[in-house]
Amino acid sequence: MEAFRKANPEWVTEQEQRIPSEKKPKATNLNLFNKVVKLNSNGMQQAGNEFNYYFVLTYLPDLQWCHLAPMRTVGQYGSDKPKSKGRPIWMLVDENEGKELDISASCCEVVKSRATKHNEDADREQWDIPVSGLPAPITCAGSTSNKLIPLATVFTNKAKRGLKVDTDVNKPLKTEATVVEEAGVKSLEKYVPLEESWI
């Protein structure tokens, strides 16, 4: 067969003539099953930007295709969920509204999220999506308890205790890292960006 192909190049199929470097792009090995996702710019062009987050109801890895249910906020977490306190509670939009969507998996970006009710029925489940709300306050050194203290409280308390708080407007502003270090913050893991009024 090889000798025939060499002798009759006009009979070689178009697929066989392709340059070897022209390979199909590899399919991403994302595991999108039961994940919360947001749409990238291509996805927003196709589906619009009515919703911020979607839950993957069905994922077909061989076709790289997803069936998504949009998510909506239904309130905020309270003190019963201290790790999520103050952040929005996310649930699925009712399927009767007809807002579900079929889209390519390449348009989806997985978002870090946590199911808080651990319900088998996705319609009754609630999710905490950390990037959707303000981060939890940071822990500060000198705290007598394990309670979290907002960074603004640190500066207010320093002024109340008679500690010098620099208010000279002619001095250059301190960097956020310096202010945080001076306040005695143990961890920058849950760092909240400072406002100039706090410095």
Side-chain angles (χ1 to χ4, degrees), residues 39 43 46-57 66-72 91-103 123:
L39 300 179
Q46 294 177 32
N49 57 358
E50 182 179 358
F51 298 101
N52 293 332
Y53 301 104
Y54 295 84
F55 180 74
V56 180
L57 293 171
C66 298
H67 182 70
L68 307 177
M71 300 178 82
R72 61 184 165 82
M91 289 184 76
L92 302 186
V93 170
D94 192 330
E95 62 186 310
N96 295 333
E97 292 185 32
K99 301 288 187 175
E100 293 179 3
L101 128 92
D102 290 314
I103 198 162
D123 291 325

Side-chain angles (χ1 to χ4, degrees), residues 75-90 113-117 126-130 132-137 148 190:
Q76 288 186 337
Y77 287 103
S79 56
D80 58 325
K81 301 279 185 188
K83 289 183 178 180
S84 307
K85 188 176 179 179
R87 288 198 291 254
I89 298 171
W90 291 88
S113 64
R114 183 172 62 95
T116 57
K117 290 229 175 212
Q126 295 178 350
W127 285 269
D128 174 25
I129 304 172
S132 70
L134 293 175
L148 297 175
K190 294 181 179 176

Side-chain angles (χ1 to χ4, degrees), residues 10 25 35 38 40 42 49 54 57 63 69 72 74 106 108 116 127 137 140 144 158-159 163 180-181 189 198:
E10 67 275 358
K35 298 284 190 198
K38 67 179 183 175
N40 61 21
N42 290 338
N49 57 358
Y54 295 84
L57 293 171
L63 299 176
R72 61 184 165 82
V74 293
S106 66
C108 301
T116 57
W127 285 269
C140 298
T144 57
K158 271 191 153 189
L163 298 173
V180 169
E181 185 179 308
E189 192 171 303
W198 293 0

Side-chain angles (χ1 to χ4, degrees), residues 27-35 37 55-68 101-108 110:
T28 56
N29 291 330
L30 287 177
N31 179 6
L32 295 178
F33 291 108
N34 296 328
K35 298 284 190 198
V37 298
F55 180 74
V56 180
L57 293 171
T58 308
Y59 172 54
L60 304 172
D62 54 337
L63 299 176
Q64 288 293 296
W65 203 254
C66 298
H67 182 70
L68 307 177
L101 128 92
D102 290 314
I103 198 162
S104 169
S106 66
C107 295
C108 301
V110 176

Side-chain angles (χ1 to χ4, degrees), residues 122-190:
D123 291 325
R124 294 184 184 157
E125 184 58 81
Q126 295 178 350
W127 285 269
D128 174 25
I129 304 172
V131 296
S132 70
L134 293 175
I138 57 177
T139 305
C140 298
S143 173
T144 57
S145 68
N146 288 334
K147 291 182 180 177
L148 297 175
I149 302 171
L151 196 54
T153 307
V154 173
F155 296 106
T156 306
N157 290 344
K158 271 191 153 189
K160 282 181 185 174
R161 289 185 296 196
L163 298 173
K164 185 178 176 187
V165 178
D166 196 357
T167 56
D168 186 355
V169 292
N170 294 325
K171 288 186 178 179
L173 287 175
K174 296 176 182 177
T175 65
E176 291 173 348
T178 306
V179 173
V180 169
E181 185 179 308
E182 288 176 2
V185 175
K186 285 182 188 175
S187 169
L188 294 177
E189 192 171 303
K190 294 181 179 176

Side-chain angles (χ1 to χ4, degrees), residues 108-122:
C108 301
E109 296 175 4
V110 176
V111 176
K112 184 177 179 182
S113 64
R114 183 172 62 95
T116 57
K117 290 229 175 212
H118 307 290
N119 198 321
E120 288 185 21
D121 183 4

